[in-house]
Amino acid sequence: MAEAVSLSFPDNSVRDYPPETTGADIASGISKSLAKKAVAYALDGEVRDLADPVRRSGALEILTRDDPRALELIRHDCAHVLAEAVQELWPGTQVTIGPVIENGFYYDFARETPFTPDDLPVIEKKMAEIIQRNKPFAKEVWDRQKAKDVFAEKGEGFKVELVDAISEDQDVKIYSQGEWFDLCRGPHMASTGQVGDAFKLMKVAGAYWRGDSTRPMLSRIYGTAWATKDQLKAYLHMLEEAEKRDHRKLGREMDLFHFQEEGPGVVFWHSKGWRMFQSLVAYMRRRLDGTYEEVNAPQILDKALWETSGHWGWYQENMFAVKSAHAFTHPDDEDADHRVFAIKPMNCPGHVQIFKHGLKSYRELPIRYAEFGNVHRYEPSGALHGLMRVRGFTQDDAHVFCTEDQLAAECMRINDLILSTYADFGFQEITVKLSTRPEKRVGSDENWDHAERIMAGVLDEIAAKSGGRIKTAVNPGEGAFYGPKFEYVLRDAIGRDWQCGTTQVDFNLPERFGAFYIDETSEKKRPVMIHRAICGSMERFLGILLENYAGHMPLWFAPVQAVVATITSDADDYAREVVEELRAAGLKVELDLRNEKINYKVREHSLAKVPAILVCGKREAEEKTVNIRRLGSNTPSSKTLAEAVAALSEEAVAPDLARGMSRKAASNDA
RNA sequence: GCUGCUGUAGCUCAGUGGUAGAGCACUCCCUUGGUAAGGGAGAGGUCGCGAGUUCAAUCCUCGCCAGCAGCACCA
């Protein structure tokens, strides 16, 4: 027979309870008000139903709605309420799964006609009704076969499949809320009333059953739920703010780039956007630091070359191919040139050709070829998304040809470069993921074993070297078709993660192309190849930067660093002089002499996110000063022209150059 | 690619089975104004493309294209 349990509480008190005491019993034993507010309990941190008996000793906490751990319960319960509401409104709709996700939950339904946004308020109303009914959540453990029979009889085929997926050592648990019940592993709160009213259905979407694009598409409803109305409001407000920093919106407002129908997924860079692009390229080029050789390989190459590389076989659905226009318009003309060329989706095969041109000695290794390579990939239409996912983009790509002995050191060297680059753009939270062999792949298992072993070692070293600051993880089966890879994921200012950099070890491509170097004993040896990118795609990286900074680019990166704006035309000549001085100092400056009020000019340039507005009126012209208004501040400051030029040009130095300057200064001092 | 929604002036968006409207932007005129919109006038649209229904289609139907959200895929 079960023995009494001894429980310790957050206030450090310890009490004994008879066997089979439930969380609810304990709560009501403590106080009436706690019993009323309790939604669940945690035993040694594990959250459980209030109605669950406490069967072992440990640290016990009664959770109320305000506990952060209750949030997950609120959301999960809300998903159940949603499912009941939908089935009550539209009987015959099948329920499938409804998990908690970041900031909310969703529930996937199977039905003939998908939901429309108009359905959401109707469902919300029904949900409020169910919450009002305040039915207790009750758990039962069912016999596996009974569960399958019951769901089968209800026409819930997906649930039957889910029951089958529960492993034999697990109970099949059913949670009911009044008449309605669902298969669920729990835990849940005490009753539907505890869900509260701080929830909102957000959107409808299609989603594949079990995330598999070969299986049926279900109708998903996304919702968000919080402990209080204020939290819900804050979340909705946060979403609005995030929308304001959408790079597509900023691109329009700041006149950086556009897209149009004739070019799905390819960017029209306007002058200011292209300036930013060029700043990024210039920065990355400086960081090549003389240790890479920059090269440039052709945009189109014979299909045969891509067959050799394996791309034609493994990557075909993502590739564009071209032939002469004449061959297109005259497919039957035997005299026409019908050769098929692929537009490069990757730079690696080109770089192997450059490596192969001429004999290479072991003395030359590692050879590092860098290219700001413009690649095209035929991305699925639904994947396109502003600058973040395009069909034509520029990679800050490089391929390192080295010996196996050099491999680990090269990976670390790349790691250091990647991390310092991200730091220069203010990204500190980085995760490095090791992606291992995918199902669709080229190369022998021995090669994969080998490469993965080396990379696992490097991953540990990366973590150790950063002193735990860099998080690491493993992504099984997510590697490229030719080799395992490190993915560098950075977190931006509003907490979103972006995969940018990548380091991929490749034993296959050198072999496929028969690349070799001559070793110490005059033998031909196969080099190992490392693919690496830091920004990944320059386009995407710029999109990330725009959103990270909400368009407020740091001075060194801003396409227009300052605007000199006059108050009246009396100051025109002086304003021209100011612009000249700033330009002489290398600053990107524009002049606004328009016949408009200063309010108007300030507003317009502020909306265009110009970092500094230099206002010049009669006073400034007489005193040879400028009045500087920095973006985001409404308290301008007056400086002499010389001071302003010095301050702005110092701030406009790129971080890598600033490092160089401070090193130089330090060595001069010494 | 899949599911749903959307496509009207440079931008944001109204609107109607009888071929269109606002605000901002643009051009011109007045205004020389001290830190987020001074006033007036004017110009600007094959209502995404193609078929169909209809006396008549921007509006209804179908197909295509593109965009948005999610899924799948991914730098």
Side-chain angles (χ1 to χ4, degrees):
Chain A
M1 195 57 223
E3 290 175 20
V5 294
S6 166
L7 300 174
S8 65
F9 289 87
D11 65 354
N12 289 325
S13 64
V14 177
R15 271 178 262 182
D16 291 339
Y17 287 92
E20 300 302 305
T21 305
T22 67
D25 297 335
I26 294 169
S28 50
I30 294 170
S31 81
K32 254 193 179 154
S33 63
L34 184 64
K36 220 170 156 185
K37 275 168 42 189
V39 297
Y41 72 88
L43 181 62
D44 291 331
E46 186 197 334
V47 179
R48 296 166 160 215
D49 295 345
L50 218 45
D52 281 348
V54 183
R55 293 214 168 95
R56 63 179 166 82
S57 299
L60 191 128
E61 291 168 85
I62 300 293
L63 304 185
T64 60
R65 278 187 95 251
D66 342 308
D67 191 287
R69 286 165 290 182
L71 200 48
E72 195 163 319
L73 300 176
I74 291 171
R75 289 172 179 163
H76 190 184
D77 291 11
C78 203
H80 278 232
V81 170
L82 164 62
E84 180 179 0
V86 165
Q87 289 201 313
E88 204 170 311
L89 288 165
W90 297 282
T93 301
Q94 285 192 65
V95 288
T96 68
I97 55 162
V100 172
I101 53 173
E102 198 180 359
N103 298 323
F105 60 91
Y106 66 79
Y107 209 112
D108 285 347
F109 300 92
R111 65 200 305 251
E112 288 290 304
T113 45
F115 299 101
T116 72
D118 295 338
D119 295 331
L120 297 183
V122 179
I123 302 170
E124 275 175 359
K125 213 172 140 202
K126 182 58 78 178
M127 287 170 72
E129 207 181 301
I130 291 165
I131 291 165
Q132 204 71 48
R133 286 181 212 151
N134 198 19
K135 295 286 187 190
F137 283 103
K139 176 170 64 182
E140 286 175 38
V141 174
W142 281 11
D143 170 74
R144 193 169 288 264
Q145 194 54 49
K146 173 187 169 189
K148 281 166 69 171
D149 292 345
V150 170
F151 283 119
E153 196 187 326
K154 280 179 73 185
E156 301 278 6
F158 292 96
K159 284 287 175 193
V160 174
E161 198 177 327
L162 288 175
V163 173
D164 274 329
I166 297 172
S167 66
E168 288 296 330
D169 57 330
Q170 298 265 313
D171 287 338
V172 175
K173 288 183 271 187
I174 302 293
Y175 277 84
S176 63
Q177 51 203 62
E179 296 296 300
W180 194 84
F181 60 89
D182 195 5
L183 174 74
C184 182
R185 72 167 71 89
H188 281 279
M189 297 191 289
S191 68
T192 58
Q194 290 176 326
V195 170
D197 58 359
F199 70 91
K200 185 172 164 59
L201 299 182
M202 304 298 286
K203 53 197 168 198
V204 294
Y208 297 111
W209 170 234
R210 308 222 125 184
D212 185 339
S213 60
T214 62
R215 308 189 75 171
M217 180 153 279
L218 308 171
S219 278
R220 175 173 297 179
I221 295 177
Y222 282 94
T224 187
W226 301 83
T228 65
K229 280 263 193 195
D230 280 347
Q231 286 174 18
L232 173 63
K233 234 168 112 181
Y235 172 66
L236 295 176
H237 184 253
M238 196 275 287
L239 288 182
E240 277 172 37
E241 291 302 309
E243 211 171 296
K244 281 186 201 154
R245 58 207 294 161
D246 186 314
H247 76 282
R248 293 165 299 187
K249 196 170 151 70
L250 290 170
R252 240 192 331 268
E253 289 168 357
M254 297 169 71
D255 191 19
L256 303 175
F257 57 84
H258 84 268
F259 292 88
Q260 63 188 49
E261 284 202 14
E262 294 85 345
V266 287
V267 190
F268 286 79
W269 284 105
H270 297 13
S271 118
K272 283 175 196 159
W274 191 239
R275 234 185 258 178
M276 288 176 58
F277 193 102
Q278 291 301 328
S279 292
L280 185 58
V281 170
Y283 168 86
M284 291 312 304
R285 188 169 274 144
R286 288 196 300 272
R287 307 270 358 235
L288 296 177
D289 219 14
T291 60
Y292 288 83
E293 303 168 58
E294 192 176 328
V295 298
N296 196 277
Q299 209 62 40
I300 60 172
L301 290 164
D302 194 298
K303 162 176 163 260
L305 182 134
W306 301 101
E307 283 167 347
T308 305
S309 72
H311 287 82
W312 195 262
W314 297 101
Y315 203 66
Q316 196 179 89
E317 59 191 24
N318 286 292
M319 288 168 72
F320 286 100
V322 293
K323 32 182 178 174
S324 78
H326 183 81
F328 259 118
T329 50
H330 299 80
D332 301 325
D333 181 354
E334 286 178 17
D335 294 332
D337 181 354
H338 289 286
R339 262 177 103 177
V340 175
F341 297 87
I343 304 177
K344 67 175 177 185
M346 296 187 193
N347 303 299
C348 29
H351 291 183
V352 178
Q353 308 315 308
I354 295 173
F355 178 87
K356 280 177 64 183
H357 211 80
L359 280 184
K360 296 292 185 293
S361 156
Y362 72 95
R363 294 169 195 273
E364 295 172 68
L365 303 186
I367 288 176
R368 308 184 186 95
Y369 292 139
E371 177 173 350
F372 295 94
N374 193 226
V375 295
H376 287 82
R377 298 182 184 174
Y378 186 79
E379 298 293 339
S381 57
L384 302 180
H385 181 92
L387 295 177
M388 302 305 198
R389 195 73 186 274
V390 287
R391 284 181 174 162
F393 60 103
T394 307
Q395 292 182 305
D396 58 332
D397 204 2
H399 294 93
V400 178
F401 295 85
C402 64
T403 67
E404 267 188 50
D405 293 345
Q406 294 167 331
L407 196 52
E410 283 300 311
C411 286
M412 277 313 287
R413 186 192 185 97
I414 292 164
N415 174 69
D416 294 347
L417 180 55
I418 291 178
L419 296 182
S420 90
T421 298
Y422 293 172
D424 278 348
F425 286 99
F427 299 115
Q428 296 294 341
E429 267 187 81
I430 316 292
T431 306
V432 184
K433 295 182 182 166
L434 170 59
S435 295
T436 57
R437 70 192 77 184
E439 296 213 352
K440 264 179 76 174
R441 60 175 183 265
V442 295
S444 67
D445 283 353
E446 292 75 56
N447 276 350
W448 279 92
D449 288 342
H450 192 47
E452 284 174 7
R453 208 165 36 241
I454 291 170
M455 293 184 75
V458 173
L459 189 68
D460 291 341
E461 202 186 330
I462 290 170
K465 192 173 171 184
S466 78
R469 195 176 62 80
I470 305 298
K471 286 184 276 231
T472 60
V474 178
N475 264 350
E478 297 291 316
F481 71 84
Y482 48 78
K485 60 182 176 182
F486 291 130
E487 291 175 348
Y488 286 78
V489 178
L490 56 84
R491 177 158 294 185
D492 72 12
I494 54 172
R496 288 172 307 180
D497 291 329
W498 300 98
Q499 202 239 290
C500 295
T502 174
T503 303
Q504 310 178 359
V505 171
D506 185 354
F507 288 98
N508 294 302
L509 210 57
E511 196 168 311
R512 287 179 159 258
F513 280 114
F516 63 86
Y517 64 92
I518 306 296
D519 77 355
E520 300 91 318
T521 62
S522 290
E523 295 283 312
K524 287 183 181 176
K525 272 275 180 61
R526 192 72 72 215
V528 187
M529 197 171 164
I530 306 170
H531 310 242
R532 66 105 267 219
I534 296 172
C535 299
S537 144
M538 305 302 254
E539 285 78 359
R540 172 184 285 186
F541 200 72
L542 283 166
I544 294 167
L545 288 180
L546 276 170
E547 299 197 356
N548 182 55
Y549 290 120
H552 296 217
M553 309 314 278
L555 196 69
W556 75 274
F557 205 74
V560 176
Q561 293 168 317
V563 168
V564 176
T566 51
I567 293 172
T568 67
S569 50
D570 296 341
D572 285 4
D573 288 339
Y574 177 62
R576 286 194 188 93
E577 190 185 325
V578 172
V579 167
E580 228 167 89
E581 292 264 336
L582 292 164
R583 286 196 178 141
L587 291 159
K588 288 169 265 188
V589 188
E590 284 181 358
L591 178 59
D592 186 355
L593 298 180
R594 288 175 305 169
N595 175 16
E596 294 292 350
K597 287 196 172 181
I598 193 63
N599 289 6
Y600 183 92
K601 294 185 184 183
V602 164
R603 176 181 153 84
E604 197 173 86
H605 300 305
S606 298
L607 288 175
K609 314 262 195 286
V610 175
I613 300 171
L614 278 57
V615 174
C616 293
K618 240 184 253 175
R619 208 153 60 219
E620 286 73 19
E622 280 161 16
E623 297 169 355
K624 297 289 171 196
T625 59
V626 289
N627 199 269
I628 304 185
R629 183 194 168 104
R630 294 302 300 261
L631 185 58
S633 154
N634 50 13
T635 48
S637 72
S638 183
K639 280 195 165 84
T640 68
L641 179 53
E643 282 169 352
V645 171
L648 287 174
S649 47
E650 191 191 335
E651 192 183 332
V653 176
D656 60 310
L657 295 174
R659 272 199 298 279
M661 281 158 71
S662 64
R663 261 204 304 277
K664 216 169 180 180
S667 67
N668 284 349
D669 290 348

